[in-house]
Amino acid sequence: MKPSILSANRMLYALIAISIVAIGFGVYRSQQKAANPVPQAQAAVQPAAQPGALVSARPNFDFGTISMKAGNVSTTYRIKNEGAAPLALDKIYTSCMCTTATLITASGRKQGPFGMPGHGPLKPATGQLAPGETALLEVVFDPAAHGPSGVGRIERVVTVETKGARPLELWMVAMVRP
Ligand SMILES: [Cu+2]
């Protein structure tokens, strides 16, 4: 009887030892699985940040109170390719026929004036912005374009579309007096 009790005890110890090893391995594996998704998530986010980004440090401008009698007003936006890849210019258009935009690239080359789609053919913008390159967008607003009914608060937007970045909107507001 003694040897069989001894071997039964040994078998019990062996089972306990195997269980401890198995539990330990299971904990180790679950920790490995928990640790893995973090680098995978980072790898998935990084390519999304790669495409070009068209930005302006000052995308909104307030002309304040202006007068139809005083004529056109203008403001200049600086736009920049903050992405790592060159950005091909695609379209530049304004929200209203009273507003036009002229693009001036770093080389001094002018394009435009660009207006509202539907008021004359939509001219494509050409050329590209290298990573870090800036360009100017000279915007002219004619407060008299809408006649006497054009008084009051106005809001206009110029949109710059490129191939590869989200469209950039440049806003302006004014209070128009006769
Ligand atoms: Cu208008």
Side-chain angles (χ1 to χ4, degrees):
M1 286 300 278
K2 264 185 184 174
S4 67
I5 289 167
L6 240 169
S7 66
N9 279 347
R10 274 185 185 163
M11 277 185 74
L12 188 65
Y13 288 139
L15 275 172
I16 289 166
I18 288 163
S19 300
I20 287 166
V21 168
I23 289 163
F25 185 67
V27 169
Y28 171 75
R29 282 299 300 268
S30 67
Q31 281 172 346
Q32 288 289 99
K33 276 178 189 167
N36 272 341
V38 178
Q40 279 168 1
Q42 281 171 349
V45 166
Q46 274 166 354
Q50 285 302 310
L54 189 65
V55 299
S56 177
R58 193 213 67 185
N60 304 295
F61 183 72
D62 187 350
F63 283 113
T65 300
I66 57 172
S67 161
M68 284 185 191
K69 285 195 288 272
N72 291 358
V73 290
S74 71
T75 184
T76 301
Y77 297 86
R78 184 179 289 275
I79 63 175
K80 184 181 182 186
N81 175 8
E82 279 212 332
L87 270 183
L89 293 158
D90 191 8
K91 297 184 192 101
I92 298 172
Y93 50 90
T94 70
S95 62
C96 198
M97 57 82 178
C98 56
T99 308
T100 58
T102 301
L103 182 78
I104 307 154
T105 46
S107 64
R109 190 170 71 102
K110 284 193 178 191
Q111 287 185 64
F114 300 96
M116 184 197 188
H119 284 257
L122 183 62
K123 278 176 281 187
T126 59
Q128 63 178 27
L129 295 176
E133 188 178 336
T134 63
L136 300 177
L137 207 61
E138 204 173 77
V139 179
V140 177
F141 169 66
D142 177 4
H146 294 274
S149 67
V151 292
R153 191 175 187 276
I154 63 97
E155 249 184 27
R156 301 290 182 263
V157 59
V158 179
T159 307
V160 182
E161 288 189 14
T162 57
K163 290 164 187 156
R166 272 173 39 195
L168 174 64
E169 290 191 343
L170 304 161
W171 287 81
M172 71 214 73
V173 295
M175 183 59 74
V176 180
R177 299 281 182 236

